[in-house]
Amino acid sequence: MTDIKLPILFRYRILWHIFFWVIVYLSYVIAFGGYMGRYRMELLNNLVLTPVRMLAVYSFIYLILPIAMKQKRFLLFSFLTIVHAMSYSISIGLTLKNVNLFPEVFDYSKLSLFFPSKILGTLYSNYAIIMFAATVVIFKKWYINEQQRKNLFQEKLEAELSLLKSQIHPHFLFNTLNNLYALTLIQSKEAPDIVLKLSGLLDYMIYKSNDRFVSLDKELQMLESYIELEKLRYNKRLDFDYQLKGEPGSLKIAPLIMLPFIENSFKHGAGNDRTNPKIRIKIEIGNDCLTLQVVNSIRGEKKKDESLGEGIGLKNVRRRLELIYPDDHKLEIRESEIEFEVNLEICSIHE
């Protein structure tokens, strides 16, 4: 699992603990030392009481609080909290009675240990420290759990994206090798050119498209190479139009996100039309968005219940769009008896 980077509040643990207790100590000195200017006395008194407070805080957050957080045993937690409060009260009373540094000022000899009025107020103020520390621990636990949940979700998305992208490669390779096989049967002089282009495309797809985002310029070059490779099959029989408007500059895009739509137009459009297939591809690059329109003619009989928009390639790319651009894309697929059209808009293309 990916390591969780904690905010600064949860790092440097020992230093934060030291800082916490210094602040607590000084707060008590300042708060109680204001009475009749007893700062020196409170410096020593709170120095004695600080170990008791530390014992109370750490016993609560490390022994009692986990019963509620991890074990979910809330009745036991409530009982132990009451016992802890009583024990804390007794500890404060015993400390004040037995380690009284200023008996001429403070008389604790007759102090009752079970929630006396003088200790009760002190208990409330001391328990506020415990509640604050417990809140920090609970928040830290919640933060770590939330980050783990997000990391697991992100790792699941990455695994699914990798699987979807890995399915693109054999699908594309299968179609292109079929094209190459058809040309070798007729001993076409264009076969070596196809092998060269196919080598370049596979190099890009296997080795250069592993990042989540790639250069839009390189992606467009790959698409144009693929188009040229497909056009070799049809010669002048294919009525083809390709338009590119705008400059890719240093923009980036998810790799192989447009290829399945273009591949689909050749496979189901020109591949099934033995007369005069037509394909129109238009790509426009704006400041924030990219639009792709692919229109191809449809000829030939389709199998019953077959939908051109539900092949492996289009199903995968639809899912990849949902994962990578969940709120930043629009995809419309329209199919008629004579034409298949794809309109894709991707926003948040970035540098």
Side-chain angles (χ1 to χ4, degrees), residues 234-250:
Y234 302 98
N235 295 319
K236 297 180 180 180
R237 182 169 67 87
L238 175 64
D239 183 0
F240 182 83
D241 179 58
Y242 171 73
Q243 298 181 36
L244 173 62
K245 295 184 178 180
E247 294 295 331
S250 58

Side-chain angles (χ1 to χ4, degrees), residues 222-236:
M222 183 276 298
L223 290 177
E224 290 168 0
S225 294
Y226 173 79
I227 289 170
E228 290 300 318
L229 189 151
E230 285 284 12
K231 284 170 62 178
L232 291 173
R233 294 178 57 197
Y234 302 98
N235 295 319
K236 297 180 180 180

Side-chain angles (χ1 to χ4, degrees), residues 268-332:
H268 293 290
N272 290 336
D273 190 343
R274 304 301 178 186
T275 56
N276 185 30
K278 298 179 181 179
I279 296 178
R280 301 285 183 270
I281 300 174
K282 184 178 180 181
I283 299 175
E284 292 188 9
I285 305 170
N287 293 330
D288 300 313
C289 297
L290 175 145
T291 59
L292 168 70
Q293 183 184 57
V294 182
V295 182
N296 62 266
S297 59
I298 299 175
R299 291 290 186 274
E301 296 183 357
K302 291 187 293 182
K303 296 179 181 179
K304 187 178 180 180
D305 298 330
E306 180 184 4
S307 172
L308 300 184
E310 297 300 325
I312 293 176
L314 295 192
K315 281 184 178 180
N316 285 354
V317 75
R318 189 192 294 274
R319 180 59 178 155
R320 289 185 68 215
L321 285 166
E322 292 171 356
L323 293 175
I324 302 174
Y325 301 103
D327 301 314
D328 296 312
H329 83 278
K330 294 179 182 178
L331 175 61
E332 295 181 354

Side-chain angles (χ1 to χ4, degrees), residues 36-53:
M36 301 175 64
R38 305 183 306 203
Y39 288 105
R40 177 179 169 274
M41 295 180 184
E42 291 301 333
L43 279 170
L44 296 175
N45 277 339
N46 282 281
L47 193 62
V48 171
L49 288 173
T50 294
V52 180
R53 292 171 181 146

Side-chain angles (χ1 to χ4, degrees), residues 1-4 144 147-149 151-152 155:
M1 183 183 297
T2 305
D3 292 336
I4 298 173
I144 292 175
Q147 292 303 308
Q148 288 176 338
R149 185 190 66 79
N151 286 348
L152 286 173
E155 288 171 6

Side-chain angles (χ1 to χ4, degrees), residues 13-247:
R13 182 178 176 182
I14 295 177
L15 292 178
W16 276 115
H17 279 244
I18 295 173
F19 177 76
F20 172 77
W21 286 112
V22 168
I23 294 299
V24 169
Y25 174 72
L26 293 178
S27 297
Y28 275 104
V29 170
I30 294 172
F32 290 99
Y35 297 111
M36 301 175 64
R38 305 183 306 203
Y39 288 105
R40 177 179 169 274
M41 295 180 184
E42 291 301 333
L43 279 170
L44 296 175
N45 277 339
N46 282 281
L47 193 62
V48 171
L49 288 173
T50 294
V52 180
R53 292 171 181 146
M54 294 177 69
L55 179 63
V57 168
Y58 290 127
S59 62
F60 184 84
I61 64 176
Y62 290 126
L63 297 179
I64 299 177
L65 190 59
I67 294 175
M69 295 178 62
K70 295 180 180 180
Q71 302 178 25
K72 310 297 182 184
R73 301 171 66 181
F74 298 107
L75 287 177
L76 178 59
F77 169 75
S78 301
F79 172 75
L80 291 177
T81 300
I82 295 173
V83 173
H84 182 269
M86 295 177 62
S87 301
Y88 192 13
S89 172
I90 294 173
S91 299
I92 293 175
L94 287 173
T95 304
L96 291 175
K97 291 182 70 173
N98 295 304
V99 191
N100 187 359
L101 301 178
F102 304 98
E104 69 279 4
V105 178
F106 305 107
D107 183 13
Y108 297 122
S109 59
K110 299 179 180 180
L111 191 66
S112 174
L113 300 180
F114 296 96
F115 293 100
S117 59
K118 291 184 178 180
I119 292 183
L120 195 58
T122 305
L123 180 63
Y124 288 152
S125 64
N126 281 275
Y127 233 75
I129 304 172
I130 297 176
M131 292 301 102
F132 176 80
T135 301
V136 173
V137 171
I138 292 171
F139 178 74
K140 179 181 178 181
K141 181 67 175 177
W142 171 85
Y143 180 87
I144 292 175
N145 288 340
E146 187 67 12
Q147 292 303 308
Q148 288 176 338
R149 185 190 66 79
K150 290 180 179 179
N151 286 348
L152 286 173
F153 180 72
Q154 185 64 32
E155 288 171 6
K156 180 181 177 183
L157 290 186
E158 295 295 338
E160 186 173 354
L161 283 170
S162 297
L163 177 61
L164 292 173
K165 197 162 71 172
S166 69
Q167 291 173 346
I168 293 174
H169 298 165
H171 186 235
F172 164 78
L173 182 60
F174 176 78
N175 291 336
T176 307
L177 288 177
N178 275 345
N179 299 343
L180 179 60
Y181 176 69
L183 290 177
T184 55
L185 286 179
I186 61 174
Q187 297 182 347
S188 171
K189 295 180 180 180
E190 296 167 336
D193 193 17
I194 287 186
V195 173
L196 186 61
K197 288 183 178 294
L198 177 60
S199 174
L201 288 173
L202 290 179
D203 177 67
Y204 176 84
M205 296 174 68
I206 296 175
Y207 299 109
K208 298 179 181 177
S209 64
N210 292 325
D211 294 333
R212 184 159 187 178
F213 296 99
V214 297
S215 165
L216 178 57
D217 183 48
K218 296 294 184 182
E219 186 74 5
L220 290 174
Q221 291 179 22
M222 183 276 298
L223 290 177
E224 290 168 0
S225 294
Y226 173 79
I227 289 170
E228 290 300 318
L229 189 151
E230 285 284 12
K231 284 170 62 178
L232 291 173
R233 294 178 57 197
Y234 302 98
N235 295 319
K236 297 180 180 180
R237 182 169 67 87
L238 175 64
D239 183 0
F240 182 83
D241 179 58
Y242 171 73
Q243 298 181 36
L244 173 62
K245 295 184 178 180
E247 294 295 331

